Amino acid sequence: MGKIIALANQKGGVGKTTTTINLAASLAALEKKVLVVDADPQANASSGLGINIREVHNSIYECIVNKVEADVATIKTAVDNLQIIPSHIDLVGAEIEMLGFENREKVLKEVLAPVKDKYDYILVDCSPSLGLITVNSLTAADSVIIPVQCEYFALEGISKLLNTIKIIKSKLNPSLEIEGFLLTMYDSRLRLANQIYEEVKKHFRELVFDTVIQRNIKLSEAPSYGQPVLLYDADSKGSTNHMQLAEELIRKNK
């Protein structure tokens, strides 16, 4: 039985997509069957895994709005064991089109239900908003990873996200859990980064992943080559960190 994990934080630029791509590739390298669902209209997870968005015929948009089956929209990536349902800019309009749908918060759950057993992990990259698509992602998910950037306003907005998770848990998805808070863009030389690490740890205790994703130039470069950092530079800090994260996630879910 696969586990669906949403990566969410309505604050942009915290490393959601970077984490999705590289955690997925690391899990696949550890011989887990992985599906990435790109639920962000910017489609950065799709291009970051080498998908030419202009050539995509069926995306998550078609699955949600036109009831195209998930299998039909799934594309293989350059990484063994890793597949993706890509996104498309059309997804921006999907929220309005979905307003007339019955059970509109559960459309993505219905899309993924038939393929859930085919994968060990399904990672959903959410857009930086708390709109209907993100609500769909959290309703479909078993758990959520919340990336937190080690910068000054890091904790700003988290209470809003936690409140949304609480509402979804009480009304739409009682089994939704927080998989963990993941500290990203960490620079151990900065006092501020260490303070934020301590603060997050103090607030959320055992919900914080032991693994921290450090600032790393290779991690920033890899998406422009359409590759996870594992393929771009397997020896880089970014690659090592995500491999550690994948191992920690697997241990947590044994």
Side-chain angles (χ1 to χ4, degrees):
M1 186 70 168
K3 183 167 195 179
I4 302 177
I5 303 176
L7 285 95
N9 189 334
Q10 77 277 17
K11 194 171 184 298
V14 296
K16 273 191 304 289
T17 302
T18 303
T19 304
T20 306
I21 292 169
N22 293 297
L23 174 57
S26 300
L27 287 166
L30 294 167
E31 299 186 341
K32 299 294 178 188
K33 293 191 74 172
V34 187
L35 174 68
V36 168
V37 177
D38 191 349
D40 182 351
Q42 294 174 79
N44 291 336
S46 306
S47 56
L49 283 171
I51 306 299
N52 184 343
I53 307 151
R54 291 183 199 88
E55 290 173 7
V56 167
H57 299 298
N58 289 303
S59 67
I60 194 66
Y61 170 83
E62 279 75 21
C63 295
I64 288 172
V65 174
N66 304 330
K67 302 280 185 276
V68 167
E69 287 178 17
D71 270 344
V72 174
T74 300
I75 300 173
K76 279 193 168 86
T77 71
V79 180
D80 286 346
N81 296 324
L82 176 55
Q83 296 183 294
I84 184 169
I85 299 179
S87 186
H88 195 276
I89 191 66
D90 288 352
L91 195 60
V92 168
E95 302 208 346
I96 293 164
E97 294 177 67
M98 289 163 76
L99 290 176
F101 288 12
E102 210 177 319
N103 281 340
R104 59 176 180 254
E105 297 89 357
K106 296 186 176 175
V107 180
L108 187 59
K109 188 181 176 114
E110 286 161 20
V111 168
L112 296 178
V115 297
K116 193 174 178 183
D117 289 347
K118 294 185 179 182
Y119 300 93
D120 296 304
Y121 293 96
I122 297 176
L123 302 184
V124 184
D125 186 27
C126 298
S127 68
S129 79
L130 292 176
L132 189 53
I133 301 285
T134 300
V135 168
N136 261 265
S137 303
L138 294 170
T139 304
D142 298 302
S143 67
V144 54
I145 289 176
I146 303 170
V148 179
Q149 190 180 0
C150 286
E151 291 196 352
Y152 186 64
F153 293 115
L155 294 175
E156 203 180 65
I158 283 188
S159 57
K160 207 174 189 180
L161 175 62
L162 292 177
N163 199 37
T164 303
I165 291 170
K166 202 166 134 189
I167 293 166
I168 286 169
K169 213 170 147 67
S170 67
K171 294 197 163 47
L172 296 163
N173 182 5
S175 57
L176 182 64
E177 297 294 337
I178 292 175
E179 190 73 47
F181 291 84
L182 174 70
L183 287 146
T184 62
M185 305 181 198
Y186 179 75
D187 186 340
S188 57
R189 295 167 304 180
L190 299 177
R191 201 168 83 220
L192 178 67
N194 292 305
Q195 281 171 347
I196 286 169
Y197 178 81
E198 293 306 326
E199 205 174 324
V200 173
K201 205 82 173 142
K202 193 174 79 189
H203 266 72
F204 303 111
R205 299 195 175 97
E206 69 285 347
L207 281 178
V208 182
F209 281 102
D210 293 332
T211 306
V212 172
I213 308 299
Q214 289 162 293
R215 276 200 181 277
N216 178 246
I217 190 73
K218 300 289 184 191
L219 204 50
S220 313
E221 289 172 357
S224 60
Y225 292 88
Q227 291 181 331
V229 72
L230 191 67
L231 293 185
Y232 181 63
D233 186 347
D235 297 323
S236 68
K237 197 56 133 177
S239 183
T240 312
N241 286 166
H242 284 93
M243 197 55 94
Q244 286 165 340
L245 178 63
E247 287 165 352
E248 186 177 349
L249 185 68
I250 291 167
R251 277 198 310 276
K252 276 181 92 169
N253 285 286
K254 269 189 175 157

